[in-house]
PDB file of all heavy atoms in Angstrom:
ATOM      1  N   VAL A 151     173.021 -45.722  73.338  1.00  0.00           N
ATOM      2  CA  VAL A 151     171.697 -45.211  72.984  1.00  0.00           C
ATOM      3  C   VAL A 151     170.616 -46.241  73.301  1.00  0.00           C
ATOM      4  O   VAL A 151     169.575 -45.928  73.888  1.00  0.00           O
ATOM      5  CB  VAL A 151     171.648 -44.812  71.492  1.00  0.00           C
ATOM      6  CG1 VAL A 151     170.205 -44.630  71.028  1.00  0.00           C
ATOM      7  CG2 VAL A 151     172.444 -43.534  71.266  1.00  0.00           C
ATOM      8  N   ARG A 152     170.864 -47.486  72.928  1.00  0.00           N
ATOM      9  CA  ARG A 152     169.867 -48.540  73.169  1.00  0.00           C
ATOM     10  C   ARG A 152     169.646 -48.785  74.659  1.00  0.00           C
ATOM     11  O   ARG A 152     168.508 -48.977  75.109  1.00  0.00           O
ATOM     12  CB  ARG A 152     170.299 -49.839  72.476  1.00  0.00           C
ATOM     13  CG  ARG A 152     170.219 -49.793  70.949  1.00  0.00           C
ATOM     14  CD  ARG A 152     170.737 -51.088  70.347  1.00  0.00           C
ATOM     15  NE  ARG A 152     170.793 -51.050  68.893  1.00  0.00           N
ATOM     16  CZ  ARG A 152     169.766 -51.379  68.100  1.00  0.00           C
ATOM     17  NH1 ARG A 152     168.618 -51.778  68.623  1.00  0.00           N
ATOM     18  NH2 ARG A 152     169.900 -51.314  66.788  1.00  0.00           N
ATOM     19  N   GLN A 153     170.720 -48.785  75.430  1.00  0.00           N
ATOM     20  CA  GLN A 153     170.616 -49.073  76.856  1.00  0.00           C
ATOM     21  C   GLN A 153     170.027 -47.897  77.628  1.00  0.00           C
ATOM     22  O   GLN A 153     169.182 -48.078  78.511  1.00  0.00           O
ATOM     23  CB  GLN A 153     171.986 -49.426  77.429  1.00  0.00           C
ATOM     24  CG  GLN A 153     172.533 -50.763  76.947  1.00  0.00           C
ATOM     25  CD  GLN A 153     173.925 -51.043  77.506  1.00  0.00           C
ATOM     26  OE1 GLN A 153     174.456 -50.266  78.298  1.00  0.00           O
ATOM     27  NE2 GLN A 153     174.520 -52.144  77.092  1.00  0.00           N
ATOM     28  N   ALA A 154     170.460 -46.679  77.303  1.00  0.00           N
ATOM     29  CA  ALA A 154     170.057 -45.513  78.083  1.00  0.00           C
ATOM     30  C   ALA A 154     168.662 -45.006  77.721  1.00  0.00           C
ATOM     31  O   ALA A 154     167.889 -44.621  78.601  1.00  0.00           O
ATOM     32  CB  ALA A 154     171.080 -44.392  77.907  1.00  0.00           C
ATOM     33  N   PHE A 155     168.333 -45.006  76.430  1.00  0.00           N
ATOM     34  CA  PHE A 155     167.084 -44.391  75.974  1.00  0.00           C
ATOM     35  C   PHE A 155     166.011 -45.400  75.584  1.00  0.00           C
ATOM     36  O   PHE A 155     164.846 -45.039  75.474  1.00  0.00           O
ATOM     37  CB  PHE A 155     167.361 -43.458  74.795  1.00  0.00           C
ATOM     38  CG  PHE A 155     168.454 -42.461  75.050  1.00  0.00           C
ATOM     39  CD1 PHE A 155     169.435 -42.212  74.100  1.00  0.00           C
ATOM     40  CD2 PHE A 155     168.534 -41.777  76.258  1.00  0.00           C
ATOM     41  CE1 PHE A 155     170.455 -41.298  74.337  1.00  0.00           C
ATOM     42  CE2 PHE A 155     169.536 -40.868  76.504  1.00  0.00           C
ATOM     43  CZ  PHE A 155     170.506 -40.626  75.547  1.00  0.00           C
ATOM     44  N   GLN A 156     166.414 -46.660  75.344  1.00  0.00           N
ATOM     45  CA  GLN A 156     165.489 -47.723  74.944  1.00  0.00           C
ATOM     46  C   GLN A 156     164.525 -47.254  73.846  1.00  0.00           C
ATOM     47  O   GLN A 156     163.298 -47.305  74.004  1.00  0.00           O
ATOM     48  CB  GLN A 156     164.710 -48.217  76.165  1.00  0.00           C
ATOM     49  CG  GLN A 156     165.600 -48.809  77.234  1.00  0.00           C
ATOM     50  CD  GLN A 156     164.830 -49.344  78.428  1.00  0.00           C
ATOM     51  OE1 GLN A 156     163.605 -49.418  78.415  1.00  0.00           O
ATOM     52  NE2 GLN A 156     165.542 -49.718  79.455  1.00  0.00           N
ATOM     53  N   PRO A 157     165.059 -46.777  72.717  1.00  0.00           N
ATOM     54  CA  PRO A 157     164.203 -46.248  71.648  1.00  0.00           C
ATOM     55  C   PRO A 157     163.547 -47.359  70.845  1.00  0.00           C
ATOM     56  O   PRO A 157     164.054 -48.485  70.787  1.00  0.00           O
ATOM     57  CB  PRO A 157     165.202 -45.479  70.780  1.00  0.00           C
ATOM     58  CG  PRO A 157     166.487 -46.246  70.932  1.00  0.00           C
ATOM     59  CD  PRO A 157     166.494 -46.729  72.365  1.00  0.00           C
ATOM     60  N   ASN A 158     162.407 -47.035  70.218  1.00  0.00           N
ATOM     61  CA  ASN A 158     161.840 -47.979  69.256  1.00  0.00           C
ATOM     62  C   ASN A 158     162.602 -47.816  67.941  1.00  0.00           C
ATOM     63  O   ASN A 158     163.511 -46.979  67.826  1.00  0.00           O
ATOM     64  CB  ASN A 158     160.335 -47.741  69.080  1.00  0.00           C
ATOM     65  CG  ASN A 158     160.011 -46.303  68.633  1.00  0.00           C
ATOM     66  OD1 ASN A 158     160.739 -45.716  67.826  1.00  0.00           O
ATOM     67  ND2 ASN A 158     158.930 -45.744  69.146  1.00  0.00           N
ATOM     68  N   GLU A 159     162.251 -48.579  66.939  1.00  0.00           N
ATOM     69  CA  GLU A 159     163.010 -48.563  65.681  1.00  0.00           C
ATOM     70  C   GLU A 159     162.964 -47.203  65.005  1.00  0.00           C
ATOM     71  O   GLU A 159     163.958 -46.735  64.450  1.00  0.00           O
ATOM     72  CB  GLU A 159     162.479 -49.655  64.743  1.00  0.00           C
ATOM     73  CG  GLU A 159     162.809 -51.065  65.192  1.00  0.00           C
ATOM     74  CD  GLU A 159     164.309 -51.280  65.360  1.00  0.00           C
ATOM     75  OE1 GLU A 159     165.075 -50.839  64.483  1.00  0.00           O
ATOM     76  OE2 GLU A 159     164.721 -51.885  66.365  1.00  0.00           O
ATOM     77  N   GLU A 160     161.792 -46.553  65.048  1.00  0.00           N
ATOM     78  CA  GLU A 160     161.667 -45.232  64.417  1.00  0.00           C
ATOM     79  C   GLU A 160     162.517 -44.197  65.147  1.00  0.00           C
ATOM     80  O   GLU A 160     163.193 -43.371  64.510  1.00  0.00           O
ATOM     81  CB  GLU A 160     160.196 -44.790  64.406  1.00  0.00           C
ATOM     82  CG  GLU A 160     159.290 -45.575  63.485  1.00  0.00           C
ATOM     83  CD  GLU A 160     158.843 -46.888  64.100  1.00  0.00           C
ATOM     84  OE1 GLU A 160     159.190 -47.151  65.273  1.00  0.00           O
ATOM     85  OE2 GLU A 160     158.147 -47.657  63.401  1.00  0.00           O
ATOM     86  N   GLN A 161     162.499 -44.250  66.475  1.00  0.00           N
ATOM     87  CA  GLN A 161     163.308 -43.311  67.249  1.00  0.00           C
ATOM     88  C   GLN A 161     164.798 -43.567  67.053  1.00  0.00           C
ATOM     89  O   GLN A 161     165.588 -42.626  66.960  1.00  0.00           O
ATOM     90  CB  GLN A 161     162.944 -43.412  68.728  1.00  0.00           C
ATOM     91  CG  GLN A 161     161.569 -42.878  69.066  1.00  0.00           C
ATOM     92  CD  GLN A 161     161.157 -43.199  70.487  1.00  0.00           C
ATOM     93  OE1 GLN A 161     161.535 -44.237  71.040  1.00  0.00           O
ATOM     94  NE2 GLN A 161     160.363 -42.330  71.092  1.00  0.00           N
TER      95      GLN A 161
END
Side-chain angles (χ1 to χ4, degrees):
V151 165
R152 290 177 185 272
Q153 291 178 3
F155 308 135
Q156 298 182 8
N158 57 38
E159 290 303 316
E160 291 81 3
Q161 290 171 328

